[in-house]
Amino acid sequence: MNATTPDSSPESRAESRKPRVAVVFGGRSSEHAISCVTAGSVLKAIDRDAYDVVPIGIATDGRWVLESGDPDRLRIEGADRLPSVDGERAPVALAQQAAGTDLVVSEPSQPPRTLGEVDVVFPLLHGPWGEDGTIQGMFEMAGVRYVGAGVLASAVSMDKAYMKVVLAAAGLPVLPSVTVTARDWARDPSACRAQADELGYPLFVKPARGGSSIGISKAHDASELDACIEEAHRHDSKALVEVSAEGGREVECGVLQALDGTPETSQPAELRVGGDHEFYDFAAKYLPGEHTEIDIPAELPPGVADELRALAARAFEAVSCEGLARVDFFVMPDKSLVVNEINTMPGFTPTSMYPQMWAASGVDYPELVDRLIRLALARDTGLR
């Protein structure tokens, strides 16, 4: 795969045809289903009069296929009915051509057929092998423009342990934590427990490179720590053990780049989880009928809201992010702020916070999708 040549710039291509957008979703991570749901929302909202759209699914075994693009097939219909990519569909690949990178479909007993040149990829992948810089690196090597953060920002933000190091170095407040790898846990669990005990309970234990609250659990005391670490290690060989922000309010802020690269921030939103949910877990996020309330804008003193938005923009720039991000905070009882994490590909499901925050800030869903595509089309394929 080679870089797009000057003769095939987005401007010159736009004169002859609509830009072609490859919407890529699914993937090998535990967030496969959420990626499918996100893709369904984007496929439904994208302007087909402005763009040619090609839906590409990545099956759980890593195969790339040409998907149907039917948004209704990509909905969550219950905890036991999660959508997935159909890995038996026609395989698709990015193929090097003289003028850029084409999508080529191979079907049994049929010669390969070309779908045409890709102008921009919209990677709606969550978790490892998609949101972590791996697929972004492939697009960089191929000279393909894509929506969202680059390799470094994706990798740093995906790994919560390194994210904390980078944010703290930039002067942003983060919660104390320790990292427990599967190797350390197998070699010396007592030392790992001692490190966690020094933080004080309760503690949250998370897969360091996961999302959608999958694999996260709360250790109320030392007796629960082992089970929490083992649960996190089921999803990632690196677990993050973190101080619980007791009494903290969960408030999020969306960041969206302007066309000149300036990070703009949305109205903050507060999550209030009810029912049997002790924290904002997978069911509270995605399953219908769960007791999660959202306040947009969050009820915050003006000074706190302004500071939170400023910190969100600083976090975005600290990791060299591009396109979009959702920055999650805890607003502590004394009104101080702590950055929980930065998500470089936040969900676009109907209940996702990122599009809701921007809708409340005057950018509706179709406009948000269009702006992200235009941002990607406008950026360089080389070093930025």
Side-chain angles (χ1 to χ4, degrees), residues 53-380:
V53 180
V54 182
I56 298 175
I58 301 179
T60 54
D61 62 1
R63 282 180 291 173
W64 290 45
V65 298
L66 182 63
E67 260 286 359
S68 70
D70 177 7
D72 291 336
R73 202 186 74 74
L74 300 173
R75 295 183 301 179
I76 288 181
E77 298 184 3
D80 58 346
R81 297 187 65 184
L82 301 178
S84 65
V85 169
D86 181 1
E88 299 303 315
R89 298 181 67 88
V92 66
L94 290 172
Q96 177 182 343
Q97 303 294 334
T101 306
D102 280 359
L103 285 171
V104 178
V105 179
S106 300
E107 298 179 278
S109 304
Q110 298 290 331
R113 60 188 175 95
T114 301
L115 298 178
E117 188 178 350
V118 178
D119 297 302
V120 64
V121 176
F122 204 140
L124 296 167
L125 298 162
H126 302 305
W129 309 292
E131 193 182 348
D132 59 352
T134 50
I135 202 166
Q136 288 78 9
M138 187 188 77
F139 296 146
E140 294 282 355
M141 292 287 288
V144 178
R145 292 169 173 84
Y146 57 94
V147 171
V151 175
L152 176 66
S154 298
V156 167
S157 301
M158 186 80 255
D159 191 316
K160 297 176 180 66
Y162 282 102
M163 175 205 70
K164 284 176 177 287
V165 172
V166 173
L167 294 182
L172 292 159
V174 296
L175 291 169
S177 65
V178 296
T179 302
V180 178
T181 66
R183 179 183 178 188
D184 291 340
W185 185 243
R187 183 172 53 190
D188 194 346
S190 296
C192 297
R193 293 186 192 104
Q195 283 186 308
D197 291 344
E198 288 180 5
L199 295 173
Y201 291 89
L203 296 168
F204 274 102
V205 185
K206 313 173 180 180
R209 295 163 291 193
S212 296
S213 297
I214 295 171
I216 296 180
S217 53
K218 188 174 184 178
H220 298 83
D221 54 46
S223 69
E224 297 178 344
L225 180 65
D226 286 23
C228 291
I229 290 175
E230 286 161 11
E231 171 61 18
H233 281 163
R234 285 183 57 240
H235 302 275
D236 189 349
S237 60
K238 181 190 289 187
L240 187 78
V241 181
E242 182 180 64
V243 168
S244 174
E246 293 298 292
R249 298 163 59 188
E250 294 189 54
V251 180
E252 302 180 351
C253 185
V255 184
L256 177 65
Q257 270 188 316
L259 289 175
D260 66 0
T262 304
E264 299 177 349
T265 57
S266 73
Q267 291 281 356
E270 180 173 7
L271 296 161
R272 290 182 287 109
V273 181
D276 298 328
H277 303 283
E278 191 171 359
F279 64 97
Y280 195 39
D281 60 12
F282 181 92
K285 283 183 178 180
Y286 299 113
L287 298 185
E290 298 296 337
H291 301 285
T292 300
E293 296 181 2
I294 300 171
D295 293 330
I296 308 176
E299 294 185 11
L300 299 171
V304 174
D306 292 344
E307 181 187 2
L308 185 144
R309 295 177 74 166
L311 287 177
R314 283 179 57 194
F316 186 89
E317 295 191 309
V319 298
S320 299
C321 203
E322 294 174 273
L324 74 163
R326 192 194 70 233
V327 186
D328 302 345
F329 294 86
F330 291 113
V331 180
M332 303 306 291
D334 63 359
K335 303 298 189 294
S336 64
L337 297 171
V338 177
V339 180
N340 182 28
E341 64 181 77
I342 179 169
N343 190 317
T344 57
M345 186 48 71
F348 276 76
T349 69
T351 58
S352 294
M353 295 294 293
Y354 187 84
Q356 288 194 58
M357 288 187 288
W358 278 109
S361 305
V363 182
D364 65 19
Y365 193 83
E367 183 182 355
L368 180 62
V369 170
D370 182 71
R371 182 160 156 184
L372 289 170
I373 294 172
R374 287 189 293 116
L375 276 167
L377 284 168
R379 82 189 202 186
D380 193 5

Side-chain angles (χ1 to χ4, degrees), residues 31-48:
E31 296 179 81
H32 179 99
I34 301 308
S35 174
C36 292
V37 177
T38 294
S41 299
V42 171
L43 289 168
K44 192 172 184 178
I46 198 167
D47 185 356
R48 303 304 175 102

